Amino acid sequence: MTSATPEPSVAADPFGTARLREATLRSWQDSPTRLTEDTNVERDLRVGAYRDRLFVELAQNAADAAMAGGAPGRVRVSLVDSELRFANTGAPLDARGVASLASLRASGKTGEAVGRFGVGFAAVRTVSDEPRVVSTSGGVVFSAERTRRAAGIDGEVPVLRLPWPVPADVPDGFDTEVRLPLRDDVDGPSLLDELARDVADLLLALPWLGEFDVDGRVWTRTTDGDVVEIRGPQTETRWLTYRGDVVWAIPVGADGSPKPLEEDVLHAPTPTDDGLSLPARLLASVPVEPSRRRALPGPELAKALEDAAKEYVGLVRLLPPEHRFALVPVPGFPKSTVDAKLREEVLAGLSAEPWLSTQDGKEVAGRQAKVLDVDVPGLSELLVDLIPGLLEGSAPAQVLKAVAAQVIGIEEVLETLTGVTRDPGWWRDVYAALAIAVESHALAAERLDGLPVPLSDGRTLPGARGCLLVEGSAELLELLSDVDIPGLRLVHPAASHPLLERLGAKHADARELLNADQLRDAVERSVEDVRSGLDGTTLAGAVLRLIADCGDDAPGWVGALALPGTDTWRRADELVLPASPLLDIFDEEVFEEDGAMDVLDEDFAEDWPQSTLQAAGVLDSFALVVDDEPHEPDHDLPDEETWWDSLPEPPSTLVAIRDLDLVADDAWPAALRLLAARPETWHALRAPHGHAAWWIAQYAVLEGAAPNEWRLPDADLAGLFDEVPDVGLSEELLKVAGVRTDLSLSTVEEANDLLGRLADPERTVSPGLATRAYDAVVESGFEPRAPRAVRAADGSVVDDALVLDVPWAAGALEPAEYVVAPEEPERLAELLDLPLASTEPAEVTSEGEYAPWAELPALKLVADQLGIRLPEGGVLVHDPLTVRIQDTEHDVQWWSDGRLHAADTSEGLARAFAWATGRWPDRHLITALLDDPSPRTLLA
C-alpha cells in the first residue's frame, strides 16, 4: 500500500474529518490486515445484519436527534434525481457523531438513544456508494471512489471509514439531511413504498418522532393520555399503551375497543426478527445481537422478558372489564423462543395478578375467578350472591382456562338454584338471560330441563313442562285457579317468559290470546262475515272481554272488529259513542247512509265500559294516529303527502289526529276546544311541524277563512292580514290553530298568498312590513309564482320595479321605483322576476376631482375620533354629483361604478367613506361629525 496525496479542501472542516482520515489511513499503513478487516466488517453489515434496515436505522437516528433537541421530531423522505434524501429536525450533527459514522465498531449513542449515529448507519451502504450527511453544523460525505484514491488501491474498500467535509445546505425547516445517491440496481420508488408500509410502526416505536413525510404522504403521531394515534394519508391507527419499564401497546378502535394482534415481532424498540403471537405489542430495551435483528439469548434476556410480562397486566387494566379478555394469549405454537418465554410469563402473571372483575365489585386473579361454561349475558349479575367469585359480564370460559379460572357448568348452576327463594321478577330475569343463550345456540334447551319455576300459589317447582303461562287481571287468574284441572300449574305472572314455553309451558293468558294471529284474522274479516249473514255478537263479546282483561290495552288492528251501528254493523273505528261530542262537530253528511261514520248501538254501548269500547277503536273524541317509526306518508291523513314534503326532515315519531277533514265548517271553534280539552290531542296539536296544526292552519274555517288568513290583534301584520274575529277561543288556542303572529310560511301556497296580498292595491301595507314580508318569502325556501305586481319601498303597488341590492342606487331612484330587500336581494329578484338595481345601466355625468382619503383633513379628523384606519386609495369628489339612469339625470350624494364618487357635501363624503371602510352603519354619525367635529357630537 502507498500513501495517497491528500485532496485539496473544498469546504470547512468543523468536525475534524482530516484528522479522522489521517488516523485511519495510518492504521491501514501500519497494519495492512486492518484494511481487509474493515472491508470485511462493512461487507458483513451491508449484506447481512443491515441489509433491509435502512429506514429503521435512519428513523432511529432522527428520533435520537429529536430527543437531544428536546422537541418532537419531523422527518421528510424524498427522491430527488435518483438521490434518496432523509431530512429530520433535532440536534444537528456533531464531531462525536461524525466519529461514530466513521467507525464500524463504535457508536456514539448514550443514555436513552436508540440509534444516534451508531453502527446501524452502515445500512446506507445497502443502497449507496457515496452517502452524505449535511446538517446545520456542517456536512460530511463518504465515497468509495475517493477512499480508493486516498488509500491508493483498487477493488473493494470500506466506504464508511473516511469522511470528507462538504458544504451544508440543509433544507428549510430541518436540521439534518442524509443524502444517498442510489446505485443503478436500486429502485428508489420501491424504497419509498416500502417505507410507507412501515411508517406507522416506526412512529409508534419511536415516541420522539411526531411527523413523517414520505414523498408528500404524511403520517403524524399524537398522544392523548394512554392512547397514541397515528394518522396517515389513508388510514388512522390508535394504540392503547401502558408505559412502565417497557411499553405494551394494543390497537384500539375509535370507541376504545381492542383489536388484538394476530402476529407481530419483538420491538427493541424497533422491529427485530423474533416473532410474537401475543395480542399486544412489546417495545422493550432487551439485550439484542449487534445486528439488532434478534434478542441476545442468556440470563439477562430471560430476566428482561420476565419483568416485561409482569407489566402486561397494567395494559390489561387500562381496558374496560368487558374488553380485557381480548388480551389473554390464545393457544398456539410459539413463533420464537422469545415468544414461548413471554407467553409463559404473561399467562403466569394473569393467573396470579388481579385483573378480572367479579359481580360483587372485586378484582381477582385468574386462578381465583369462576366463569360459566356458556356465554349467558346478564346471568352472572343475577347469581352474584349465590356463586362467590363469579365474573361479571359475558366472560369467555375457553379463554380464561388459560389463566387457571374455574369453569362452572350450567347444570351446576341449576343445582345451586334449586331450593332458592326469590321474587318472581328475579326468576323472569334469569329466564330472559338464559333465553338469549338458547336462541343463539350457545346453550341447548335440553340442558335446562330442571330449571325451577315459581307458581302463583307461592311454590317453586323444578321444570317448566306442564305449566300454564297466564297473564291478565287478578279476576282472570282467580277464575283459572278455581278451575278443577289435575296438574294445573300456573306460572306467576311476574315470572312469565317465552323461554318457559320453549321448555314445555303453555300459554293461556288474555293478552296472548288477543295477539294470536288466528284471532286477528277473524277480527279483520268480521265486517265481511256479518254482512254475509254470520252472527258477530260472540266474536265481539269475546274480543271486548279480552281487551278488558288486558286493561283496555289493545293492538291497533282491533279497530277492524265488527260492532253494531244504528243501521248496520261497522268497523269499531268507524263508530262513535252515542253521547260523543263528535256528533255535534262532524258534518251531518258523515253520518248518512254509506257515510264515513255511524253511531254505536245504544243498547250495546251500555253493556260495556266506555274505556273498553274506546280501546277497541270506538270514538268518543278525536283519535290519534301514532307511529314510532314513520318512513313514508301512509297513515291515511288528509293531504298527508303535501305535509310530508314540507317537513325539513321526516319525523322520528308521528303523532297525528284522525278525521279532521270530517269537521263541519261552522263547528271549528267547538272542534278546537275539544282538541284542547284532551291532553293527548292537545299534545298532538302542539307537536313541532305536526300534521294536525299544519292542516288546521290551512283548511279549518273560522268565520269563513282559514286560520292562517287571520292575525292576532297584537301581531304586527296590519294591512297584510285582518284581525281574527271573536270566535270564543283563547289567544293560545288561536295561535296553535295557525292564526298568524308572524310571517312564517309552511307551504308554497302560503308564500303565493303572501305575495298576492303584497300585490293587492286595496291593502295599505307599511314599507317596513313589506320589506319583512319579502324577506319571509326568501327565507321560506319555497318557489312561489311571480306576482302580477309588487309593493315598492314607499308602500305603493307597482307593476314594475327594481330590487335594491346596492345602497347608492336609492339616491337616483324614486321609492316607488324599487323594492327593498335587506336579505338576499338576488334571490328576491329571481322570485319576483325583477331586475336588480345594480344591473340597471347608469352613468356618472359630472366631472370629479380625485382626492386621496389621506388628503381630506375633515375625514382624517373623523377617522381619528372613531378609531378608523384610513383605507387605501381615495374618492372622486363632484360638485355636484350627477348620474344618468333610465334616461334621466339625478343629483345624488354618492355613487359607485368600480370607483367611489361623492358629492362635495358632508352626506356624500360620509357615505362614500363609510362604504370604503366597511362602517356603513356609522354613515349618519360620520355625517354629523363632518358638520360638527366637536366631542359633543360624538357623545350625542
Side-chain angles (χ1 to χ4, degrees):
M1 180 189 309
T2 60
S3 176
T5 303
E7 294 186 13
S9 175
V10 295
D13 192 7
F15 306 122
T17 61
R19 176 180 52 79
L20 294 174
R21 293 195 303 277
E22 181 181 351
T24 299
L25 290 169
R26 186 183 305 114
S27 70
W28 289 350
Q29 291 173 347
D30 294 342
S31 178
T33 60
R34 180 61 181 269
L35 174 61
T36 302
E37 292 173 357
D38 287 351
T39 301
N40 292 339
V41 169
E42 185 173 294
R43 183 193 306 114
D44 291 342
L45 293 174
R46 184 180 75 246
V47 303
Y50 293 94
R51 64 183 181 276
D52 56 359
R53 294 183 60 85
L54 171 63
F55 291 114
V56 170
E57 298 301 329
L58 293 180
Q60 289 179 159
N61 288 344
D64 291 338
M67 181 176 67
R74 293 184 300 109
V75 170
R76 184 180 70 192
V77 184
S78 57
L79 194 62
V80 181
D81 296 330
S82 298
E83 181 177 79
L84 185 69
R85 296 186 177 182
F86 191 104
N88 62 271
T89 60
L93 186 64
D94 57 21
R96 183 171 63 176
V98 173
S100 295
L101 292 175
S103 173
L104 295 174
R105 299 173 176 82
S107 170
K109 295 185 293 182
T110 59
E112 298 178 358
V114 295
R116 181 83 170 135
F117 301 132
V119 178
F121 188 72
V124 301
R125 288 286 291 116
T126 63
V127 298
S128 179
D129 293 331
E130 193 167 346
R132 180 172 42 186
V133 182
V134 295
S135 189
T136 54
S137 56
V140 295
V141 64
F142 298 90
S143 169
E145 184 58 34
R146 295 176 72 171
T147 299
R148 293 188 189 98
R149 291 201 303 268
I153 64 172
D154 295 324
E156 187 178 4
V157 292
V159 175
L160 298 181
R161 294 290 281 126
L162 300 183
W164 281 269
V166 292
D169 52 337
V170 183
D172 291 342
F174 293 89
D175 299 300
T176 302
E177 186 171 64
V178 177
R179 298 176 179 173
L180 305 174
L182 299 178
R183 293 195 303 272
D184 293 341
D185 61 340
V186 177
D187 186 347
S190 295
L191 279 178
L192 295 182
D193 291 341
E194 175 184 342
L195 171 58
R197 291 192 294 269
D198 297 336
V199 165
D201 285 343
L202 287 174
L203 285 174
L204 176 66
L206 302 171
W208 276 99
L209 291 185
E211 179 181 296
F212 217 119
D213 181 334
V214 181
D215 198 27
R217 294 169 286 180
V218 179
W219 286 258
T220 59
R221 181 190 202 275
T222 57
T223 302
D224 182 9
D226 297 315
V227 176
V228 175
E229 185 171 15
I230 312 294
R231 293 178 178 233
Q234 297 179 336
T235 60
E236 297 180 8
T237 55
R238 294 163 54 88
W239 293 80
L240 179 66
T241 61
Y242 175 82
R243 294 183 178 276
D245 292 333
V246 301
V247 176
W248 282 102
I250 186 170
V252 293
D255 60 352
S257 60
K259 300 179 178 179
L261 300 175
E262 293 183 2
E263 60 179 352
D264 199 16
V265 295
L266 173 66
H267 288 65
T270 50
T272 68
D273 289 347
D274 289 306
L276 294 182
S277 60
L278 295 175
R281 174 168 294 177
L282 173 62
L283 300 98
S285 296
V286 300
V288 293
E289 295 175 349
S291 66
R292 302 186 61 82
R293 303 186 72 87
R294 290 193 177 278
L296 186 64
E300 186 178 353
L301 174 62
K303 181 64 166 61
L305 296 178
E306 182 180 339
D307 293 342
K310 290 179 180 178
E311 294 189 6
Y312 187 82
V313 72
L315 175 66
V316 175
R317 288 191 184 122
L318 290 179
L319 288 170
E322 66 271 18
H323 291 315
R324 294 177 180 177
F325 312 117
L327 266 68
V328 178
V330 298
F333 292 105
K335 303 289 186 181
S336 63
T337 55
V338 170
D339 186 35
K341 176 64 175 176
L342 202 53
R343 285 167 55 88
E344 177 185 348
E345 296 294 341
V346 164
L347 290 173
L350 295 177
S351 299
E353 295 295 326
W355 60 280
L356 291 165
S357 297
T358 63
Q359 286 297 333
D360 54 6
K362 299 177 182 178
E363 279 199 350
V364 297
R367 64 170 60 102
Q368 300 170 319
K370 295 178 182 177
V371 59
L372 300 178
D373 69 341
V374 292
D375 183 10
V376 185
L379 182 59
S380 298
E381 294 93 321
L382 300 169
L383 304 178
V384 58
D385 57 343
L386 298 176
I387 305 177
L390 189 63
L391 297 183
E392 65 176 351
S394 299
Q398 293 302 317
V399 171
L400 294 177
K401 282 183 179 180
V403 294
Q406 179 183 350
V407 179
I408 298 175
I410 197 67
E411 292 79 8
E412 185 177 347
V413 172
L414 297 184
E415 291 179 9
T416 302
L417 293 178
T418 301
V420 169
T421 301
R422 290 289 188 276
D423 65 81
W426 181 87
W427 285 105
R428 178 179 173 83
D429 292 339
V430 171
Y431 303 151
L434 292 171
I436 295 174
V438 171
E439 290 169 4
S440 65
H441 303 290
L443 176 64
E446 293 75 14
R447 297 179 64 186
L448 300 176
D449 282 345
L451 182 64
V453 179
L455 305 181
S456 339
D457 59 10
R459 295 177 297 160
T460 299
L461 300 180
R465 194 168 303 280
C467 292
L468 295 178
L469 297 169
V470 179
E471 297 178 8
S473 64
E475 291 80 6
L476 178 60
L477 286 175
E478 183 178 355
L479 174 64
L480 294 175
S481 298
D482 290 341
V483 176
D484 186 12
I485 301 177
L488 183 64
R489 298 167 63 185
L490 302 179
V491 178
H492 195 289
S496 177
H497 190 276
L499 175 66
L500 298 179
E501 182 182 11
R502 183 164 183 169
L503 298 179
K506 301 295 182 182
H507 272 294
D509 65 293
R511 188 175 302 278
E512 289 295 332
L513 288 174
L514 189 59
N515 285 317
D517 291 339
Q518 297 83 351
L519 182 63
R520 176 173 182 170
D521 292 340
V523 168
E524 290 181 343
R525 66 172 183 267
S526 59
V527 171
E528 180 181 352
D529 289 344
V530 169
R531 291 179 179 177
S532 298
L534 299 178
D535 182 14
T537 305
T538 303
L539 180 63
V543 173
L544 291 175
R545 179 72 267 165
L546 290 172
I547 292 174
D549 288 344
C550 291
D552 297 330
D553 181 16
W557 53 260
V558 300
L561 177 65
L563 296 179
T566 55
D567 297 318
T568 186
W569 287 63
R570 301 283 293 263
R571 289 172 56 106
D573 55 13
E574 294 178 357
L575 294 168
V576 298
L577 292 172
S580 169
L582 294 177
L583 294 173
D584 298 323
I585 290 175
F586 284 169
D587 194 291
E588 292 180 357
E589 294 181 356
V590 170
F591 299 104
E592 293 180 354
E593 186 176 358
D594 296 329
M597 290 285 175
D598 196 359
V599 182
L600 183 67
D601 180 81
E602 290 190 18
D603 293 337
F604 188 89
E606 291 177 357
D607 292 338
W608 296 98
Q610 180 174 320
S611 60
T612 300
L613 293 171
Q614 287 181 257
V618 182
L619 299 180
D620 178 54
S621 181
F622 287 98
L624 297 182
V625 175
V626 180
D627 187 348
D628 293 329
E629 297 182 356
H631 298 297
E632 55 183 324
D634 57 355
H635 305 88
D636 293 328
L637 299 171
D639 299 284
E640 184 178 2
E641 289 191 5
T642 304
W643 163 71
W644 191 279
D645 292 340
S646 73
L647 296 174
E649 59 182 18
S652 58
T653 299
L654 183 143
V655 181
I657 302 174
R658 269 182 47 190
D659 305 324
L660 295 174
D661 53 338
L662 304 183
V663 176
D665 288 349
D666 60 354
W668 270 106
L672 289 170
R673 285 191 290 271
L674 180 60
L675 290 169
R678 306 290 176 96
E680 59 274 12
T681 52
W682 180 238
H683 171 73
L685 193 60
R686 299 178 64 196
H689 304 293
H691 172 271
W694 174 87
W695 194 90
I696 289 172
Q698 298 179 85
Y699 300 107
V701 180
L702 297 178
E703 293 294 325
N708 64 4
E709 297 181 28
W710 300 108
R711 66 172 174 86
L712 290 178
D714 58 350
D716 185 16
L717 303 174
L720 277 178
F721 297 93
D722 296 332
E723 182 178 330
V724 63
D726 184 4
V727 292
L729 299 176
S730 67
E731 181 174 307
E732 182 181 13
L733 188 50
L734 289 171
K735 287 181 181 179
V736 173
V739 177
R740 290 195 173 275
T741 61
D742 55 34
L743 291 168
S744 60
L745 305 173
S746 60
T747 66
V748 68
E749 287 77 12
E750 289 187 0
N752 285 324
D753 176 69
L754 182 56
L755 291 178
R757 291 170 182 269
L758 288 168
D760 184 358
E762 298 300 320
R763 293 184 176 274
T764 301
V765 182
S766 67
L769 179 57
T771 298
R772 295 194 297 277
Y774 282 127
D775 280 344
V777 174
V778 171
E779 292 171 0
S780 72
F782 296 122
E783 298 285 344
R785 297 184 301 272
R788 66 181 185 279
V790 295
R791 186 76 57 164
D794 63 350
S796 64
V797 176
V798 297
D799 295 333
D800 192 20
L802 299 172
V803 175
L804 189 66
D805 60 330
V806 291
W808 54 82
L813 298 171
E814 296 299 326
E817 296 177 321
Y818 60 85
V819 175
V820 177
E823 303 292 338
E824 300 189 55
E826 295 84 358
R827 174 64 175 156
L828 182 61
E830 178 186 349
L831 294 177
L832 300 182
D833 195 19
L834 296 176
L836 293 167
S838 62
T839 64
E840 188 71 11
E843 178 187 3
V844 176
T845 58
S846 59
E847 294 294 329
E849 182 179 349
Y850 179 77
W853 296 114
E855 296 181 8
L856 295 173
L859 279 174
K860 289 180 64 177
L861 178 59
V862 170
D864 179 64
Q865 288 178 291
L866 296 179
I868 301 174
R869 177 178 294 181
L870 289 173
E872 298 292 332
V875 63
L876 288 167
V877 181
H878 302 250
D879 188 15
L881 172 59
T882 59
V883 175
R884 179 180 290 111
I885 186 170
Q886 296 181 341
D887 298 326
T888 304
E889 286 197 347
H890 300 268
D891 288 342
V892 298
Q893 292 297 323
W894 74 296
W895 197 261
S896 175
D897 56 7
R899 300 178 299 172
L900 281 176
H901 303 261
D904 192 10
T905 64
S906 298
E907 183 180 353
L909 289 170
R911 277 162 169 70
F913 183 69
W915 186 262
T917 57
R919 298 289 287 267
W920 183 245
D922 295 328
R923 58 192 181 280
H924 301 298
L925 175 59
I926 296 172
T927 302
L929 288 171
L930 286 174
D931 290 334
D932 181 5
S934 64
R936 69 173 176 272
T937 301
L938 184 63
L939 295 175

